[in-house]
Amino acid sequence: MKNKILCIADSLGLPGHLNKYEDTWFYKLKQEFPNFDFISFFKRQLTTDILVSMGGGKGGVDNWPKGGDCLEAYKPEIVIIQLGIVDCAPRLLNKYDRVIIKILPKILRKTYLEILKLIRTRNINNTLVSFDKFKSNLDIYIKRAQELGVKIVFISISVPEKKMLEKNKEIISNVTRYNKYYSELENKYSFIKVTRPLIASDYDKRIYEDGYHPNVFGQNIIYNKIKDLLNEFN
């Protein structure tokens, strides 16, 4: 039986933004390491909350903790995780706005949003997952992985370029803050490795399709970063 590598990612691991499936880092790793069974857990807009919420919980016949679908269900040798940008991106809407929009008639939603854009800016403290919750999610997950003897590769949150910054000027500070915690975890645990962040200014070619989602060239850079870390484990 092949050893398993579980890959968990948001839209950055999926095809799209002019990438074919064969362009993704996931596909390339499968070709590079044929002796491993690669398992994908990818979905757009995923946050680190998924690590401690999806599956498991009290009363389940499998006796998995919450988040069991992201670890205990597969008992992989290695987990590769590409999450964080959805957690940390400053938002215009707060939790109350999201409730209001759900109950407003469709004809009024656009007007409500237009008013908000006029009177409010994105706030670095208004995120889908707060920094403290982000740290807690990772700490809980890492403890479970450690108990199972699972190694982890975290793909750092990529640094957005100008096109995305025009829409979300404060995002860089949060990317830096959340990435710093990934680095702290790598320094603390021998079974954790972290890729260096993807930064557009490091390359002569464009690496993003829309200011953040990697293009074919960007996907290949991420693939090579992960490949090198996997070889270090082996």
Side-chain angles (χ1 to χ4, degrees):
M1 184 180 295
K2 293 181 178 181
N3 287 325
K4 297 183 284 287
I5 296 182
L6 174 61
C7 301
I8 304 171
D10 52 28
S11 61
L12 299 178
L14 289 167
H17 294 274
L18 304 181
N19 293 301
K20 303 185 299 293
Y21 169 61
E22 291 79 10
D23 297 322
T24 63
W25 60 259
F26 177 76
Y27 175 83
K28 291 174 182 289
L29 288 175
K30 288 173 62 178
Q31 308 312 302
E32 179 69 22
F33 299 97
N35 294 326
F36 282 92
D37 179 11
F38 279 83
I39 304 161
S40 64
F41 193 115
F42 297 167
K43 187 178 180 181
R44 300 183 191 282
Q45 292 294 306
L46 278 190
T47 71
T48 57
D49 284 343
I50 201 76
L51 303 176
V52 296
S53 63
M54 180 61 77
K58 292 181 180 179
V61 295
D62 296 303
N63 198 32
W64 295 335
K66 285 187 176 181
D69 286 0
C70 296
L71 185 63
E72 287 79 5
Y74 298 100
K75 292 184 173 61
E77 180 180 355
I78 300 171
V79 180
I80 299 171
I81 296 176
Q82 187 176 30
L83 298 173
I85 188 62
V86 184
D87 297 53
C88 77
R91 306 286 168 170
L92 182 67
L93 304 182
N94 58 38
K95 61 182 180 181
Y96 304 108
D97 294 320
R98 288 190 281 272
V99 172
I100 291 170
I101 286 174
K102 283 183 179 180
I103 62 176
L104 276 178
K106 189 174 181 179
I107 194 172
L108 296 178
R109 291 175 191 170
K110 185 177 179 180
T111 301
Y112 184 80
L113 288 172
E114 288 174 348
I115 293 172
L116 284 183
K117 290 176 181 178
L118 289 173
I119 65 174
R120 189 188 297 170
T121 59
R122 295 174 187 264
N123 187 320
I124 60 172
N125 294 314
N126 180 26
T127 59
L128 290 185
V129 180
S130 70
F131 183 57
D132 287 341
K133 184 63 164 60
F134 174 78
K135 293 193 295 182
S136 173
N137 290 343
L138 295 181
D139 290 345
I140 292 169
Y141 187 84
I142 288 167
K143 182 178 180 182
R144 288 158 45 203
Q146 188 174 31
E147 290 172 351
L148 293 173
V150 177
K151 304 179 185 74
I152 303 175
V153 173
F154 287 115
I155 302 173
S156 287
I157 305 169
S158 298
V159 178
E161 64 177 358
K162 183 178 178 181
K163 192 171 181 179
M164 186 173 184
L165 294 178
E166 289 173 353
K167 299 178 181 178
N168 203 336
K169 297 178 181 178
E170 304 298 329
I171 194 171
I172 290 291
S173 60
N174 273 5
V175 168
T176 302
R177 187 184 188 197
Y178 283 55
N179 268 343
K180 185 178 178 182
Y181 193 63
Y182 278 138
S183 297
E184 290 174 9
L185 293 173
E186 183 179 34
N187 292 331
K188 184 176 180 179
Y189 298 102
S190 61
F191 62 92
I192 290 177
K193 295 187 181 297
V194 180
T195 69
R196 302 284 70 83
L198 200 60
I199 304 174
S201 58
D202 288 345
Y203 304 94
D204 294 331
K205 295 182 180 179
R206 285 186 60 197
I207 63 172
Y208 299 130
E209 184 274 321
D210 60 352
Y212 194 76
H213 287 84
N215 57 19
V216 173
F217 183 60
Q219 285 282 349
N220 198 57
I221 295 170
I222 296 171
Y223 153 70
N224 280 302
K225 288 174 181 284
I226 303 170
K227 180 184 70 173
D228 291 345
L229 294 183
L230 292 180
N231 283 326
E232 288 181 20
F233 274 142
N234 295 320

